[in-house]
Amino acid sequence: MTKGRTDTAVKIMDVAQELIQSCGYNAISFNHIAERVGIRKPSIIHHFPNKEALGQAVVRRYREVFAAVLEKVAEAPDKTAIDAFDLYCTPYLEFGGTPDKICLCGALAGEFMALPENVRAEVARFFREHIIWLEGILRRGVESGDFAFKGDPAIKAKLILDALQGALIVKRATGDTDQVTQVVAALRDSITG
Amino acid sequence: MTKGRTDTAVKIMDVAQELIQSCGYNAISFNHIAERVGIRKPSIIHHFPNKEALGQAVVRRYREVFAAVLEKVAEAPDKTAIDAFDLYCTPYLEFGGTPDKICLCGALAGEFMALPENVRAEVARFFREHIIWLEGILRRGVESGDFAFKGDPAIKAKLILDALQGALIVKRATGDTDQVTQVVAALRDSITG
DNA sequence: GTCTATACAAAGATAGAC
DNA sequence: GTCTATCTTTGTATAGAC
């Protein structure tokens, strides 16, 4: 599914995503993006009619790529619930390994009330999908005996998502390079019993 | 400690803080602040030389007020570790009860790389102080028998802070009004054994 | 301490040449 | 598809009157 996007359009989205993950939505501009892509400011408009459309496209792609991976692992018969959990944590560990990047939706959520409506909707949907997916994995793990924990899986799912998102933003601010790894391990322990 | 601030200066800080909690740092302007305070844009400059100075003053006050409360409860001989934990969660529950506000430092952390140096420093210090305080409370609770949990208190402290910060940003985006309450309860259960 | 007026830069966006 | 040139708005900040 290429959505008919040209190479330039994809490159614009890649750069925009990286910049938002570092600096947020309101801090970045067409100029910043154009500079890194190697084109001029108005050329972006040819690919995306305005900033809101670009923002929405970036978050939508991020959400859909994430969702496709999660769906695939949830349906793979050879993957255990533990495998699924570990896989879920992979991007968080990856972002946590950088000095300046957090989850795209975590960055956007910090300035939520200052986002265009369409971008907000994508961010909200991202979080909702992840909570539902996590709850499903937790229930599967409990049934299979891989997981053992107290409390409602639905709430545990929220706790996991919240802790991972929070770990990224706090880690980047404090510079505590081990924080995300430590929190992932603690969460893992808390569900594997 | 009034720091010699006039009523207007305090009002400017109050409004600026609220706006940052809702919209972030880069989305707000002197105009937005001035409008709500009921003065004109350049009048703000009389109280704070520039946006960075205002931002730093706001975060610094927030951090110091928080720190003073935490220090007081940590030193109160009649307060148990559970009391201290519950008190720590109070502001998070309060923000979670609003439709649009999160922790000031959680909001700023989302756009960390786009913040002035001085503001960054205050945000980082806020998180570090909270992790240290939480670790102290956790150790005290373990010693007193109020708390019982597996793992390193230092890491548990990070997990708690991360989960609370994450709960606020995710909750605001999804509109799941119960989320913060649920996560606080789950965290409480996880340390009281 | 607050105002009007203004300077100056940067933002998002458009028009039209190539 | 990309460019230059331009428009309009908004941002931070300053000067100086009151």
Side-chain angles (χ1 to χ4, degrees), chain A residues 25-36:
Chain A
Y25 180 84
N26 287 292
I28 70 164
S29 71
F30 284 163
N31 249 338
H32 298 130
I33 298 167
E35 210 168 292
R36 288 218 200 181

Side-chain angles (χ1 to χ4, degrees), chain B residues 29-30 41-42 50-51:
Chain B
S29 70
F30 284 163
K41 191 165 58 165
N50 50 48
K51 191 181 178 184

Side-chain angles (χ1 to χ4, degrees), chain A residues 99 166-179, chain B residues 109 112 120-121 123-131 158 161-162:
Chain A
L168 287 179
I169 66 167
V170 172
K171 175 261 156 187
R172 183 176 62 176
T174 59
D176 175 7
T177 51
D178 297 328
Q179 179 153 337
Chain B
F112 195 72
R120 277 196 214 182
V123 173
R125 187 168 167 189
F126 175 89
F127 289 137
R128 288 198 201 101
E129 286 176 355
H130 282 227
I131 290 171
K158 294 177 192 177
L161 175 64
D162 295 347

Side-chain angles (χ1 to χ4, degrees), chain B residues 137-139 141-142 147-154 156-157 190-193:
Chain B
I137 293 298
L138 290 174
R139 290 193 188 280
V142 170
F147 292 161
F149 55 85
K150 286 188 298 184
D152 183 351
K156 194 81 176 176
S190 80
I191 55 176
T192 53

Side-chain angles (χ1 to χ4, degrees), chain B residues 6-57:
Chain B
T6 64
D7 286 354
T8 307
V10 171
K11 197 169 179 191
I12 290 168
M13 290 175 68
D14 292 344
V15 169
Q17 180 178 325
E18 278 198 14
L19 285 174
I20 295 172
Q21 286 183 278
S22 289
C23 302
Y25 180 84
N26 287 293
I28 70 165
S29 70
F30 284 163
N31 247 339
H32 299 132
I33 298 167
E35 210 168 290
R36 287 219 200 180
V37 173
I39 56 177
R40 292 298 196 162
K41 191 165 58 165
S43 303
I44 297 176
I45 306 286
H46 178 76
H47 300 277
F48 301 94
N50 50 48
K51 191 181 178 184
E52 173 176 352
L54 171 57
Q56 188 191 5

